[in-house]
Amino acid sequence: MYFGLPVYNSKGDFQGKVTSRYQDDVDLFVIDDEWEVAVSNTEHVLWTLKPDCRGEHIRLK
């Protein structure tokens, strides 16, 4: 469901795409197979208002 979604930081800069999700001590997203971020530190954005054209994405808090 989340695999392949683009990830942006709070400033709107592209950070990579979700390549994996797994449970360790916490639920984690793996970004571009290089780094991990706790799911609790993200927001799943289903849609955006114009002129924002990012569409569905993950945003870091």
Side-chain angles (χ1 to χ4, degrees), residues 10-57:
S10 59
K11 295 179 182 178
D13 301 324
F14 179 71
Q15 301 295 298
K17 290 191 176 186
V18 176
T19 53
S20 184
R21 181 177 180 170
Y22 72 97
Q23 181 81 30
D24 195 4
D25 292 335
V26 296
D27 199 10
L28 297 167
F29 282 133
V30 179
I31 311 300
D32 286 347
D33 292 331
E34 294 181 10
W35 56 284
E36 301 167 341
V37 62
V39 171
S40 61
N41 289 333
T42 67
E43 298 174 306
H44 180 210
V45 179
L46 289 174
W47 51 270
T48 54
L49 298 174
K50 289 184 179 181
D52 188 344
C53 60
R54 289 179 288 176
E56 185 178 6
H57 64 279

